[in-house]
Structure formats: structure tokens, C-alpha cells
Amino acid sequence: MSDLRNAGKYYWHYLKKYWRGFILSAVLIGISTWCIVVAPTYLGRAVEALTTYLDQWLNPATRAQASLGTFNHTLVIYVLLYVGDAATIFMAGLILARVTAHSTGTMRVGLFRKMQRMRVKYFDTHSDGDILARFTSDLDNIFNAMNQALMEVLLAVAQFVGILIVMFNQNVTMAWVTMASTPVALIIAALVMRKAGTAVNQQQDDIGQLNGYINEQITGQKVLITNGLQQDSKRGFDKYNQRVRQSALTGQIWSGILNPLMQGMSLLNTAIVIFFGSWLALNGSLSKGAALALVVVFVNYAQQYYQPIMSLTSLYSMIQLAITGARRIDEVRDQPDEVNPVDGGRPDGIQRELKIDDVHFSYLPGKEILHGITINVQRGEMVALVGPTGSGKTTVMNLLNRFYDVDSGQITFDGVDIRTFDLKALRQNVGIVLQEPQLFTGTIADNIRYGQPEASMDRVIAAAKQANIHDFIESLPEKYATQVSDEQSIFSAGQKQLMSIARTILTNPRLLILDEATSNVDTVTEAKIQAAMDNVIQGRTSFVIAHRLKTILNADKIVVLKDGAIIEQGSHEALLAENGFYAELYRNQMVFD
Amino acid sequence: MKILMPYFKRYHVDVSIALLSVLVLVFATLWQPRLLQVVMTAIIKNDQQTVLREGILLLGLAVLGIAGGVINTIYSARVALGVATDLRADMYAKIQSFAYADVETFSASNLVVRMTNDINQVQQIVMAAFQQITRVPLLFIGALILAIVTMPEQWWVILVMMLVILLASWVAVRRMTTYFAETQQDIENVNTVTRENLMGIRVVKSFVQETNEISKFSQASDQLTAVTAKIGYWFSILMPIFFLTANLAVGVAVYLVGQNITAHPAYLAAITSFVAYLMQILYAVINGGFLMTFASRAFISIGRISEVLVTQPSMTYVASEDETPLTGEITFDHVTFTYPGDTQPTLRDISFKTTAGAMLGIVGATGSGKTTLAQLIARLYDPDSGHIMIGGVDVRQIPEKRLRATVAYVLQRSTLFSGTIAGNLKQVRPDAQVSHMQWAANVAQASEFIERLPQTYDAPVEERSQNFSGGQKQRLAITRGIIANPEILILDDATSALDARSEKLVQEAMDRDLKSTTTVVIAEKIASIIRADQILVLDAGRISGSGTHQQLLQSNPIYQAIYQTQKAREEAVK
Ligand SMILES: Nc1ncnc2c1ncn2[C@@H]1O[C@H](COP(=O)(O)OP(=O)(O)OP(=O)(O)O)[C@@H](O)[C@H]1O
Ligand SMILES: Nc1ncnc2c1ncn2[C@@H]1O[C@H](COP(=O)(O)OP(=O)(O)OP(=O)(O)O)[C@@H](O)[C@H]1O
Ligand SMILES: [Mg+2]
Ligand SMILES: [Mg+2]
């Protein structure tokens, strides 16, 4: 039931702004229901008029007066009522279709917006495919349900209210009798819906996992093929696929049997009305004839009374999917946002110094990765971070950009804790070339100007030249207009890194971070862009992580990290003289014997 | 639709039960009004006996209806899920038989949508088919016959009504088919943008591009919204048209009866039942019409699914389950290769030969074709011309399992799958014991950090191995590459994120433990390949030189240039 409450809140959130549309369509549907209720009486009157006409016509004495005028007249009203019904239903349909499409659109964009606000940690620990399933499966289910159920719900409510009014106007006792089985129906419905809710929740979660598996495996198809893992991958897939089959079967069955059950209840109710009505006719205060006529009428009502319930329950499996969809999307909406201070300061580069002050950090509680890191950087200095793999270099970078926040200690720009800055303003000051480059669907030019979409073509080309990728781009048939995407890029691994460098150069950041930015680039090209990079780095505060020590020889300061702690610090010459860990690293790499 | 038939056949028992229960349901539906009629007549006549008897029969009918409905639901669901599950499994199997180029052509994001959203559409329509579609024609035919029997003169009114409704449905279905095709396409676009943002979330955040990404996404999403709105509009036109047509038909019929009532006075009494039958026809037709429009979405999806199912893998292997590895000898004989869709060849006239157990180094500028060459050894693509031989056999003649058992390939950007470390290693070598894992991890210098993890080899791996550092990922990938002790090991820049010391240790361990393995090492660092028996220098897709380090240092200007950039500033440090 808490799912139901949640779903209620969720839809209220997204639908409340369409209240005018809902009221208007409710009114329209009310009118249409009225038309539908009234129209049959006109058919009755038409038949009556026809009977009179026939009688008169058959009687030679009155044949002259016999006229079809009343009959025709009534029939026209009958048809007009249905025109009214069609027109109002059509208008209500248009309004609701619009509401449905736009509100699901808002939900979709809302979910994406939320995604953009969430912490990096969420993405590091959740499967992409499962998140994607919320966009493609859950939102699609919500759309389908709203597309069909909104109208039905309103119609059902109108019909239900209509029939109640009519019934109580006729006879209060019989009205109560007709409603007598309702609590039983409600209890059955509640029980079934509870089962169905759990089952459909399970079903959608399993579909999410299946989606996650497929997405990850197909994204890694190259690994599967080159290792001959296709059979193995199929086996893994079968497990998820069968699990979905099982849980979806349970889900579909539970949500599907509600309708036949209610159909049965409807017949049962009719029987009750018949038996109780006849008993009443025999023992009641009404005259027998009137009582019997009443029973006949109420047998009809009993059927109409269950009609709205049945049309709703026939859509129930869709509705349940929409309730579950709301829950799954809410799960994401409940994730914590990145912490962004209100009225945060806007740093203007680093005027004096950047300080990493006794920083402790752990990705997982209890497993500390950085154990008290302290680094002071003066404005315009280039600091190199070196150390064995896994020592925490990338982690330090993650903290500077606030992808993650420190456990204790602080990072300051000119003495101001970066956590007090506006998050976006901070990141605008920090340019980072990530260890693993990532391109986006679009042209090459779009990718280079990714950080500043309004940048001119001249700047794009200048950045590409500095990153030494211009010549390659020019060799492509469509040059800068070539369409690329991350998976179908026409770049080699090194070229992709060069693109990534060009992209960062273009944004001209105040603090530059290069995390193994050229690890896949050959050393000749690297040497060529070194000059350009030197230019870029010149006068800019920068952090450079590199295993190829050649690229960091000019650093003002080299910091050696090992197992999350700083073990050496100083210039290249000083560290060589120290003849410690760094000197050993350097000899390993640079000396060809 | 045809592609679904074999799947239905597979579930013929469930299909039959679902259809039989529909019959029970139709019987209950058609019988119930008659029974009610009898009961009501009896009530009016105050015939207690009949009321009791027929009333109990009505209860029996209720039970029958419930049973029919429940059984129908259960078996329809079984059929629908059986078909969907099998279809999905076959699709996945098909994708797994694809060559890499085929996966690239479809794109991963696209395939994922087809396997989930499109399959779901099919599942829903199959479910609806067994619950509804079979019921519709029975009810329709019954009502049609009764209506015509009641007023034979009015046959053309019924005909016109049906024609109008069918015409409206036909127009709508045609329209909606294009809209539904657009819908699936738009869902795919939404998926692509989202997926890209999930993978590149750090780039988005560090460039502060959230707002632009949102507007990019909104564009994709708005297209979807627009087309779904159009679908909604069509639905909202359709229903009133159906009802209006039917009621106009009733009006016309009654009017005509009225004009000729003097000729057929008996028709006066028949009006009510005629109207009732018209309405029943209408409900049947409406149900059919709506199901058709839903089906049109499912048909689009079926089309998209069969596109995958009928694709022939662009590369085939000789059929054989032979898994015995070949020897590790590699020969390239005048190999030229162009990427699908490219005009210029990426590799031109490559020829070389290595003996089993040797070490082959490949160096060259970024984009010179090193990875491409390695991919040809692993047969991710086939060359345009020339021959590639492994153990003396043309790769095109090597059965797939045999090829994979011979060649292990550590990709340039290699990741493990989510799960555990051991799970990943066991994928490649199902019989792997902890001792094997330790051996491989020792060679790859990965045991150093694996053994410090609380769960060691059972430590969790997140998607994209996100919870490991760059160098750790690479060492895990190398571990996976060597655990099966392959004849040929390709390391494509697989140590680029390793520090010099770790890298040196990896090399030493490989020299010691993988003596008989042919290793192909692609590297930017001379230090990585300096000991190779043969080094190829690639330049813009051609071999510009080949030989040992010393030879190349003497003769090859490109190699010399690479070497120059890597020499220590202080040659003296020793
Ligand atoms: N998202 C994460 N969740 C949990 N642990 C992580 C995560 N990212 C990194 N780690 C762990 O933190 C430690 C430091 O990783 P980091 O990426 O900072 O290393 P690094 O110095 O950059 O190494 P490399 O040179 O290999 O890139 C490693 O032991 C790694 O396993
Ligand atoms: N899938 C592809 N489709 C089309 N062209 C491609 C594709 N992959 C690579 N290329 C092109 O082929 C050329 C060679 O790429 P390759 O990946 O073999 O280079 P590489 O030598 O491995 O470079 P790096 O040192 O950067 O890894 C590049 O110019 C690249 O643009
Ligand atoms: Mg790192
Ligand atoms: Mg490469």
C-alpha cells in the first residue's frame, strides 16, 4: 500500500499543474455520461411515438392525422445526444492525450535532470542498464497506462456516480442491497492487488537487472569475442532471462486475474439482487407488482454498477506497471544530490596558493585510501603526482573537482575550503583531462568545443592544432564535421586522448589537471604536444599525473604517493639526489641497458 | 508475424488451453443475458421455482466465468512469457554470433532497446491476443448473424457502419504505424543520450555541461513526446468516431423502420433487440480496431526484432568444436585492410613472420595501425587481401573455439565485467583453481593488490571495473589474458597505466612463466619492447622497419626518433 501512496505522490507531483485540463475533461466526461444516460430514453420515446403513429394509421378513422413528426423529432434528438457524446469525449480525449504525452515528457526530462544532479558515487556503484531501464521500460509503461487509463478512470468515476444517483433515487433499500457485495469485492481486490504489486515490483526489478546485464555485455562485446566468451555470456543471460520469465509470469497472472474475479463478483452480485429482491417482493411493504418491477430494474442496475469496476480492472495490469514504474523512478529521485552550498562563493582561479591539508578519504566506509595527504601548491606551479598504480593519484584528482568529498581535512583555494564554493563555479575553474577519455555523439568539432559550445571554429582548430590532432582530422573526408560517437569513434586510443586534451585546452581552465592524459600516445607525438602543453601549463596552476616520467621532469614539485601517503616530495633533481623511491622509478624507466 | 509461429508451436499445449478457456468465457458471456432474461420473466410471473433454479444456474455460470477467466489469464501469460523469453534468448544468441563489425553497425545501445522494449511490446500483444482477439470474432459473428436475422432489410446499414469503422481503423493504423516506428526510434535516441551521459558523467560534470546535456536530452525527449501526443490524438478521434458511427447507424435504421412501419408493423417489436445486436457488433469491432492499433506497434517491434534475427554474421567460422590450440606461429602475408565504410586502407601490404614462443614488439605513431593489426590476428575483422596464418593455418580456416583457445588478447581499453574477480577469471578458464588465479595474478603483478582486498579473489567488481584504479584494471585484464596459458598473447598497450617498476616486474614474470607463449606487445615505451626478438615499426599503416632493438636503432629513423624522446636526461644515472 505504501507503493500506492508513493505513486499517488509521484503522479500528483507531475500532474497537479494540469488541474485545469483535468477539471475540463471531467466536466466534458460528465456531459458525455449524461448524454449516454439520457439518449436511450429518447429511443424509447421514439418507439412509443412510432407505436402511436402505427395505431393511428391502422385505424381508418385517425389515419389522416397520423404523422411521423414526433417520431422524427425524437430521433433527431437521440442522434444529437450521441453527437454531443462524441464531441465531448473527443475533446476530453484530446486534452488527456496532451496531458499524458507532456507529463510523461516532463517525467522523462525530470529523471534526466535528477541524474545530472546526482553524485558520482551513484554512477560508480550502479549498473547503467538498470538506470536505462527506468527510461525505456518504466517510463514507457507509465505512458501506456496514462494513455489508456486516465480516460477510463474519469469515465468510470462519472458512470459510478451516475448509477449511484439513479439507484438511490429509485429505491434506497434495493440500492443498499446492490452495493452489499462491494466490501467483499474490495477485500478480494486489495488482496489480489497486494500480491500483484509485490510480483510486478519484482518483475520490473528483474527486468532492470536483465537490462543491466545486456547493456554491459554488449558494450563489452569486443572482450567477449576476443576471449571466446559468447557461450558463457549466453549462459549468464539465460539466468537473468529465466528470472524475468518467472517473476513476470507471477506478476502478469496476479494482475490479470483481477478482471475475471470482478466479473464473477458482478454475476454473484446480480444473483444476490435477484434473491434478496424476490424475498423483499414477497415480504415487503410494496405491492407485489411494483416490487417485482423494481427487481427487474435493479437487476439491470446491478450490472451497470459493476461496469466501471470491470473496465478499470481490465486495465489493472497496466496500472500496476505504472505504480511500480513510479516506485522505481522515485528510487532514483530519492538519491542524494551533490552537495552544493547555497550562495556558494565563486572562485576566480587561484591567486596565491592551493592547499591540500591533511586529507583523509575512503570510497567505502572503513577502507581508507588516502591517509593524511598534505600538498601546498603556489599559484602557477606545476605539481607532478607519481607513484605506483593504485596509490591514490586519481583519487586526489577526484577530490579537487569534488567528484567525491574528503572524509576529514580540507582542500582550500587561497585559504577558502572548496566545499564552500558553488559547485559549478568550482568546476569551471578546474579543467581535467581524465584517464579514460569519453566522446559524445556529434561532430568532431562539437566534441572539441564540448566545454564551450559557443566557441568559434578558429578556436576549435587552434585547440586541435595544439593537441596535434588537427592533421588527422583534416585527413578525414568530412574533416571537423565528421560524425563520431564513443563506441563508433574513428579514432585510435591515442587519438581519442588527443581529442580529450584539445577539448580541455579550449576551455582554458585556471587549474589544470592531467591524469595520464597521454598514456596511449606515442612519445614522438607526446614530445610534439609537450611544447604546446608547456605553453598551456605556463603560468597556470597544474597537476600532472604521469607514469612516463619524461613528461614531468620540468615540474616545480614532484610528489610521490605510495599506498595513499606521501613518501617523497621535491624537484626532480632533489629527488634523484635523495636516491629513494623516485630515483628507482626513474632508473627503471629511463635507462636502457 | 511469421517469425512468431515457431514460438507458438513450441507452446501448443498452453496455446490450446488458453483458446479453450476463451471458448468457456465466450459461452458464459453469451449465455448470461439469456439466463437473466429467463430469470426476470420468472420474477415478473412470480415463479419462485424457476427463479431459484435459474438463479443457481447463474451462480454456476459465475463460477464457470471466473474459472475460464483465471485459466485464460494464466495460460495466456504462460504463452506470452514463453514466446517473449525465447525470442529474447534467440536474439541474444544471434547477437553473440555476430562479428564485431555487425555489433558496431547496429550499435550496442540500439540492440539493448530491441532486446528489452521491443520484446516487451511483443509480449503484451501476445498476451492481449490470447485474452481478447480470439474472443472478438466469435462475439462479432454471433451478433452479426442475429442482427441480420432480426431485420434482413437493414443489412446495408450494418455493412456501411462496419465499412466506416474499418476505414477509420485502417487510416488510423496506417498513420500510427509510422508514429510507432518513430516512437521506437525516439526511445532509442533517448537511450543513446542517457547511456552516453551515464558513461561520461565525469566529463559532463567536469566541463559543467549539465545544462547543455539536459537540453540535448530534452530535444530527444520532446520528439518522443510529440509523437506520443500524436498517437494519443489519433486514439481520441477514433473512439468517438466508432461510437458515433454506430449510433448514427441505429438512428438511420430506426428511421427507416419508421418510414416503412406500415409495411412491416412487426418490426416495431424488433427495434430494441436490433439495437442491442448492433451495439454488440460495435463492441466487437471496436475491440478489434483497438487491438489492431496496438498490434501495429507490436508489428513495428517484430520488424525490428527480425532485423536482428535475419542478419547473417558478416564473418563465419568453419564448423568444428575443435578446441586444441595451434602453435603460436604468426604469419602475415601481404595483408591490406580497410575498415568497413572507409575508403582508404588502414593497413597496407603488411608481411612478417614470428616463430612460436618469440616476442614480437610493435611500435609506431598514434593511429599508425597497431591496434588494427592486432585485431586482425584475433580475427575481429578479415583483411581485404593477403593472408594471416596462425600455426600455419589461415585464420579463416580455424574453428572459432580453436582460435580463441590459441589467442588471448588484452585490449587497449580493457575492463572486467561486473561481478567478482574470480568470476571474471573463471569465465575464461572455467576450471580455474585459486592456485591458477594466484599464478596468473602473480605474473601480472596483480596479486599485490588483490591479496590486500578483504575478499581477495571474491572481491566485487563494479561495472567498467570502476572501483579499481587505471593500472589495477590493466593488471586485472592481463591476469585474465594469461590465466588460460594461451599460445599467443597480445598485449595492446596493456601496461600504459603501469608504473615502470610494476611493468618491469610483469615483463620478468612473463619471461619466466610464459616462455613458450608467443607474445605480441604493442607499446609506446621502448622499455616495454626492448627485449623483443623482432620489432615492427608501423608508419601510417605500413611497415617501415623490422628487426631487433639494436638493428632498428641503427637503421630506422622513426625508431630512432621514438628512442630519442625516451632517453633519460641524465644518461649518467646508473
Ligand atoms: N570508485 C571506487 N570505489 C572503491 N575503491 C576505489 C574506487 N576508485 C578507486 N578505488 C581504489 O582506490 C585506490 C586508489 O585508486 P586511484 O584510482 O586513486 O589510483 P591511482 O594512483 O590513480 O592508480 P593508477 O596509476 O593505476 O591510475 C585503489 O586501491 C582503488 O582500488
Ligand atoms: N572502427 C574504426 N573505423 C574506422 N577507422 C578506424 C576504426 N578504428 C581505428 N580507425 C582508424 O584506423 C587508424 C589506425 O587505428 P589504430 O587503432 O590501429 O591505431 P593505433 O596504432 O593502435 O594507435 P594508438 O597508438 O593511438 O592506439 C586510425 O587512423 C583510426 O582513425
Ligand atoms: Mg589513476
Ligand atoms: Mg591502439
Side-chain angles (χ1 to χ4, degrees):
Chain A
M1 282 304 112
S2 77
D3 272 359
L4 217 55
R5 216 175 17 250
N6 255 343
K9 260 195 248 155
Y10 177 83
Y11 288 106
W12 172 246
H13 177 82
Y14 281 105
L15 294 177
K16 63 177 176 229
K17 73 170 182 195
Y18 300 104
W19 64 272
R20 282 187 205 84
F22 278 110
I23 290 188
L24 190 54
S25 20
V27 170
L28 288 167
I29 285 172
I31 297 176
S32 113
T33 309
W34 180 80
C35 291
I36 293 176
V37 170
V38 173
T41 62
Y42 278 86
L43 190 62
R45 283 191 219 170
V47 173
E48 234 175 85
L50 197 57
T51 317
T52 324
Y53 166 75
L54 194 59
D55 284 347
Q56 288 179 337
W57 192 84
L58 286 176
N59 185 346
T62 49
R63 180 173 289 196
Q65 306 156 10
S67 145
L68 276 175
T70 330
F71 169 74
N72 290 346
H73 184 72
T74 332
L75 214 53
V76 168
I77 298 183
Y78 172 80
V79 167
L80 281 182
L81 279 171
Y82 275 109
V83 172
D85 164 54
T88 44
I89 285 285
F90 171 58
M91 285 190 282
L94 282 187
I95 295 171
L96 292 179
R98 212 185 136 73
V99 168
T100 300
H102 285 267
S103 58
T104 14
T106 318
M107 288 176 202
R108 196 161 38 235
V109 177
L111 182 58
F112 189 81
R113 272 178 202 281
K114 172 67 196 183
M115 210 179 95
Q116 297 291 352
R117 287 196 308 270
M118 284 186 326
R119 301 179 182 178
V120 169
K121 184 180 181 103
Y122 181 84
F123 302 99
D124 282 355
T125 50
H126 284 78
S127 132
D128 288 357
D130 188 30
I131 305 172
L132 287 172
R134 293 167 215 246
F135 282 91
T136 52
S137 174
D138 291 307
L139 273 170
D140 198 40
N141 287 336
I142 289 179
F143 168 75
N144 279 336
M146 296 217 326
N147 192 28
Q148 289 176 58
L150 269 187
M151 184 76 148
E152 287 296 330
V153 169
L154 289 177
L155 270 175
V157 170
Q159 282 172 14
F160 199 72
V161 172
I163 190 72
L164 282 185
I165 293 175
V166 173
M167 282 196 320
F168 276 91
N169 265 337
Q170 280 275 343
N171 183 301
V172 176
T173 322
M174 282 305 287
W176 284 117
V177 171
T178 310
M179 290 173 68
S181 70
T182 316
V184 181
L186 283 181
I187 290 170
I188 293 180
L191 287 179
V192 172
M193 281 164 71
R194 199 150 87 221
K195 284 279 190 195
T198 328
V200 172
N201 276 342
Q202 185 65 44
Q203 166 193 332
Q204 287 304 103
D205 287 346
D206 286 346
I207 287 180
Q209 283 186 14
L210 174 74
N211 208 12
Y213 183 83
I214 299 175
N215 186 53
E216 186 181 7
Q217 296 283 310
I218 298 184
T219 307
Q221 195 64 28
K222 216 180 223 178
V223 176
L224 293 181
I225 295 179
T226 51
N227 286 300
L229 294 180
Q230 295 102 321
Q231 291 304 324
D232 195 78
S233 172
K234 265 194 279 189
R235 269 194 298 281
F237 168 84
D238 280 337
K239 218 174 59 208
Y240 288 99
N241 200 21
Q242 289 304 332
R243 208 182 290 158
V244 166
R245 179 189 193 153
Q246 274 316 318
S247 59
L249 191 63
T250 325
Q252 294 290 305
I253 289 176
W254 278 112
S255 53
I257 62 171
L258 191 58
N259 185 243
L261 284 180
M262 287 300 124
Q263 226 148 20
M265 277 306 295
S266 158
L267 274 183
L268 190 71
N269 192 41
T270 312
I272 291 177
V273 170
I274 290 170
F275 289 132
F276 193 81
S278 330
W279 180 82
L280 212 66
L282 293 179
N283 308 308
S285 54
L286 282 172
S287 81
K288 208 162 172 182
L292 290 177
L294 200 63
V295 176
V296 174
V297 170
F298 266 88
V299 167
N300 269 322
Y301 288 161
Q303 301 212 299
Q304 287 181 35
Y305 176 75
Y306 264 88
Q307 197 53 52
I309 297 179
M310 300 217 302
S311 54
L312 277 190
T313 51
S314 73
L315 293 174
Y316 172 67
S317 45
M318 265 183 197
I319 296 176
Q320 181 56 52
L321 276 172
I323 295 173
T324 297
R327 174 188 67 85
R328 283 173 47 82
I329 291 173
D330 255 346
E331 256 172 36
V332 177
R333 297 202 321 149
D334 286 345
Q335 293 297 321
D337 283 350
E338 287 187 296
V339 183
N340 193 14
V342 273
D343 287 332
R346 315 200 128 252
D348 180 24
I350 291 151
Q351 301 305 327
R352 294 188 314 278
E353 60 166 10
L354 181 160
K355 212 172 192 171
I356 299 175
D357 188 11
D358 192 27
V359 162
H360 290 258
F361 174 75
S362 47
Y363 287 102
L364 303 169
K367 194 167 165 273
E368 197 173 90
I369 300 287
L370 298 181
H371 318 285
I373 301 285
T374 302
I375 306 174
N376 286 327
V377 189
Q378 299 306 309
R379 175 189 178 151
E381 269 186 352
M382 166 182 172
V383 178
L385 278 182
V386 300
T389 67
S391 56
K393 304 180 295 293
T394 302
T395 306
V396 173
M397 303 302 130
N398 278 339
L399 298 178
L400 280 172
N401 214 357
R402 287 198 61 207
F403 284 156
Y404 285 88
D405 276 332
V406 299
D407 293 349
S408 70
Q410 61 176 358
I411 299 174
T412 56
F413 285 8
D414 299 323
V416 184
D417 191 320
I418 57 169
R419 281 171 296 180
T420 65
F421 291 137
D422 178 68
L423 196 54
K424 291 193 171 175
L426 169 72
R427 288 184 181 154
Q428 261 150 3
N429 274 270
V430 183
I432 194 164
V433 180
L434 296 165
Q435 197 163 5
E436 280 163 11
Q438 173 81 28
L439 297 181
F440 291 86
T441 307
T443 65
I444 290 181
D446 289 343
N447 268 287
I448 295 178
R449 56 163 91 100
Y450 184 75
Q452 286 180 6
E454 71 287 355
S456 69
M457 206 53 214
D458 290 345
R459 287 180 57 204
V460 170
I461 293 174
K465 278 186 176 153
Q466 280 183 302
N468 211 52
I469 185 75
H470 174 73
D471 291 341
F472 174 72
I473 297 172
E474 284 292 318
S475 78
L476 297 169
E478 292 177 61
K479 305 191 164 57
Y480 281 86
T482 310
Q483 281 287 333
V484 294
S485 71
D486 193 65
E487 37 179 322
Q488 265 167 314
S489 86
I490 41 130
F491 296 114
S492 75
Q495 288 165 338
K496 216 162 148 182
Q497 286 191 323
L498 297 178
M499 282 289 291
S500 174
I501 291 171
R503 180 164 72 185
T504 302
I505 287 179
L506 185 127
T507 58
N508 200 12
R510 314 294 287 264
L511 171 64
L512 181 68
I513 300 175
L514 302 172
D515 189 357
E516 303 267 7
T518 52
S519 60
N520 294 128
V521 178
D522 68 285
T523 48
V524 176
T525 309
E526 190 181 57
K528 280 187 203 152
I529 67 169
Q530 193 69 54
M533 291 307 279
D534 282 349
N535 251 333
V536 175
I537 287 173
Q538 191 58 243
R540 206 181 293 265
T541 321
S542 60
F543 278 89
V544 179
I545 301 176
H547 287 306
R548 281 195 225 150
L549 303 179
K550 186 96 182 193
T551 50
I552 51 139
L553 298 185
N554 296 329
D556 297 294
K557 186 186 280 174
I558 296 172
V559 177
V560 185
L561 265 182
K562 189 164 185 291
D563 294 335
I566 295 175
I567 54 167
E568 290 170 22
Q569 216 174 135
S571 71
H572 173 68
E573 282 72 21
L575 289 178
L576 276 192
E578 219 173 274
N579 203 14
F581 192 83
Y582 176 81
E584 166 78 14
L585 269 185
Y586 186 70
R587 276 197 298 271
N588 270 325
Q589 192 180 337
M590 288 299 179
V591 181
F592 304 114
D593 41 9
Chain B
M1 205 58 205
K2 249 195 337 234
I3 65 159
L4 291 185
M5 279 335 269
Y7 297 93
F8 287 135
K9 283 207 187 106
R10 212 174 292 172
Y11 293 97
H12 64 272
V13 176
D14 293 336
V15 167
S16 322
I17 298 181
L19 291 180
L20 277 178
S21 54
V22 162
L23 282 182
V24 172
L25 216 55
V26 168
F27 170 76
T29 320
L30 288 177
W31 188 251
Q32 178 206 335
R34 270 194 56 93
L35 208 56
L36 267 179
Q37 208 56 51
V38 178
V39 175
M40 295 217 266
T41 329
I43 292 178
I44 292 187
K45 286 198 209 135
N46 200 6
D47 177 355
Q48 293 291 317
Q49 282 282 291
T50 317
V51 171
L52 196 67
R53 199 183 58 231
E54 302 294 314
I56 288 174
L57 216 57
L58 200 64
L59 282 182
L61 206 61
V63 174
L64 197 67
I66 293 182
V70 169
I71 292 176
N72 175 255
T73 304
I74 293 176
Y75 283 88
S76 304
R78 284 171 62 113
V79 177
L81 281 154
V83 170
T85 310
D86 291 358
L87 202 56
R88 202 188 277 121
D90 287 352
M91 215 170 152
Y92 196 73
K94 187 74 189 200
I95 294 170
Q96 291 306 331
S97 76
F98 278 178
Y100 188 68
D102 304 327
V103 178
E104 276 189 315
T105 326
F106 274 106
S107 101
S109 146
N110 177 321
L111 288 171
V112 172
V113 172
R114 288 180 200 224
M115 288 202 61
T116 50
N117 190 298
D118 285 298
I119 294 268
N120 189 35
Q121 308 300 340
V122 176
Q123 177 190 318
Q124 282 178 1
I125 194 71
V126 172
M127 180 94 190
F130 283 95
Q131 288 191 300
Q132 303 279 342
I133 293 179
T134 36
R135 200 182 322 191
V136 168
L138 292 175
L139 290 175
F140 173 73
I141 292 171
L144 187 65
I145 291 174
L146 289 171
I148 292 185
V149 166
T150 319
M151 284 193 195
E153 280 81 12
Q154 307 283 355
W155 64 270
W156 64 271
V157 176
I158 301 176
L159 189 71
V160 169
M161 172 183 102
M162 275 167 45
L163 280 182
V164 171
I165 288 179
L166 285 181
L167 189 74
S169 309
W170 183 72
V171 171
V173 165
R174 275 194 40 173
R175 257 320 170 77
M176 289 205 188
T177 303
T178 43
Y179 291 149
F180 282 134
E182 265 177 56
T183 307
Q184 294 310 101
Q185 183 62 52
D186 290 341
I187 288 181
E188 230 170 73
N189 294 346
V190 162
N191 193 56
T192 308
V193 179
T194 314
R195 188 164 167 274
E196 216 163 66
N197 270 268
L198 287 170
M199 299 206 293
I201 193 75
R202 282 180 159 81
V203 180
V204 177
K205 284 193 187 297
S206 74
F207 283 95
V208 198
Q209 288 303 303
E210 290 93 338
T211 324
N212 284 327
E213 288 299 330
I214 289 172
S215 64
K216 211 195 278 176
F217 179 85
S218 298
Q219 257 176 31
S221 171
D222 287 350
Q223 270 177 13
L224 181 55
T225 304
V227 62
T228 51
K230 280 189 219 154
I231 291 171
Y233 297 154
W234 273 91
F235 267 114
S236 25
I237 296 179
L238 225 44
M239 192 149 81
I241 285 190
F242 289 169
F243 277 101
L244 190 60
T245 314
N247 287 302
L248 279 178
V250 170
V252 170
V254 175
Y255 175 78
L256 290 177
V257 169
Q259 304 314 308
N260 303 312
I261 193 71
T262 46
H264 301 279
Y267 279 177
L268 187 58
I271 288 182
T272 337
S273 45
F274 183 71
V275 170
Y277 294 134
L278 269 191
M279 283 301 165
Q280 279 198 8
I281 296 178
L282 172 75
Y283 278 109
V285 174
I286 286 182
N287 260 320
F290 275 119
L291 281 168
M292 270 313 291
T293 46
F294 285 128
S296 65
R297 181 166 187 190
F299 283 139
I300 293 289
S301 290
I302 291 176
R304 287 161 48 87
I305 290 167
S306 45
E307 247 171 56
V308 175
L309 289 178
V310 302
T311 301
Q312 287 306 318
S314 59
M315 195 185 272
T316 50
Y317 291 88
V318 287
S320 158
E321 290 297 298
D322 191 356
E323 288 187 47
T324 45
L326 295 151
T327 61
E329 184 190 275
I330 307 170
T331 316
F332 269 55
D333 180 18
H334 299 286
V335 169
T336 296
F337 170 75
T338 315
Y339 274 106
D342 267 9
T343 44
Q344 296 290 317
T346 297
L347 291 180
R348 295 163 206 256
D349 199 26
I350 304 282
S351 298
F352 67 88
K353 187 177 162 102
T354 58
T355 51
M359 173 178 175
L360 174 72
I362 304 178
V363 295
T366 285
S368 57
K370 306 182 291 295
T371 300
T372 311
L373 195 157
Q375 288 180 343
L376 294 184
I377 302 176
R379 208 176 168 218
L380 276 170
Y381 300 94
D382 276 336
D384 308 347
S385 62
H387 294 280
I388 299 165
M389 255 123 32
I390 290 177
V393 186
D394 191 309
V395 282
R396 280 180 259 209
Q397 303 305 323
I398 306 176
E400 183 166 22
K401 288 200 167 155
R402 199 167 190 197
L403 179 65
R404 301 304 165 210
T406 313
V407 182
Y409 182 7
V410 181
L411 300 174
Q412 196 161 12
R413 189 173 169 185
S414 207
T415 54
L416 302 195
F417 292 109
S418 56
T420 63
I421 297 177
N424 273 280
L425 298 180
K426 284 201 174 129
Q427 265 198 315
V428 186
R429 182 170 178 181
D431 65 341
Q433 304 293 316
V434 174
S435 58
H436 298 124
M437 298 186 200
Q438 277 166 342
W439 167 78
N442 273 330
V443 175
Q445 301 306 308
S447 43
E448 164 256 323
F449 71 89
I450 296 176
E451 258 138 41
R452 276 193 303 175
L453 297 169
Q455 291 129 301
T456 61
Y457 289 89
D458 291 320
V461 181
E462 298 288 353
E463 193 162 345
R464 281 182 295 252
S465 334
Q466 200 70 304
N467 54 337
F468 290 97
S469 82
Q472 289 171 341
K473 276 180 217 177
Q474 283 193 332
R475 284 180 286 171
L476 287 171
I478 299 175
T479 311
R480 178 173 61 188
I482 59 186
I483 189 155
N485 205 347
E487 293 303 316
I488 298 175
L489 174 65
I490 307 173
L491 299 176
D492 187 355
D493 221 1
T495 50
S496 63
L498 260 59
D499 56 279
R501 213 175 69 87
S502 307
E503 185 177 359
K504 199 163 184 175
L505 290 173
V506 173
Q507 287 173 1
E508 284 167 9
M510 286 196 352
D511 285 348
R512 193 177 57 240
D513 285 8
L514 295 171
K515 250 199 204 64
S516 63
T517 300
T518 312
T519 43
V520 178
V521 179
I522 299 175
E524 315 293 359
K525 287 175 273 190
I526 297 278
S528 314
I529 45 106
I530 194 163
R531 305 157 357 272
D533 300 298
Q534 185 186 2
I535 300 169
L536 301 179
V537 183
L538 281 190
D539 178 30
R542 290 179 195 279
I543 293 183
S544 115
S546 119
T548 62
H549 172 68
Q550 286 307 331
Q551 291 165 345
L552 288 170
L553 215 47
Q554 300 296 316
S555 62
N556 190 289
I558 295 177
Y559 194 79
Q560 286 162 356
I562 296 174
Y563 181 74
Q564 280 307 322
T565 56
Q566 297 183 23
K567 253 189 353 197
R569 191 155 69 180
E570 305 83 356
E571 280 288 23
V573 193
K574 276 261 158 165

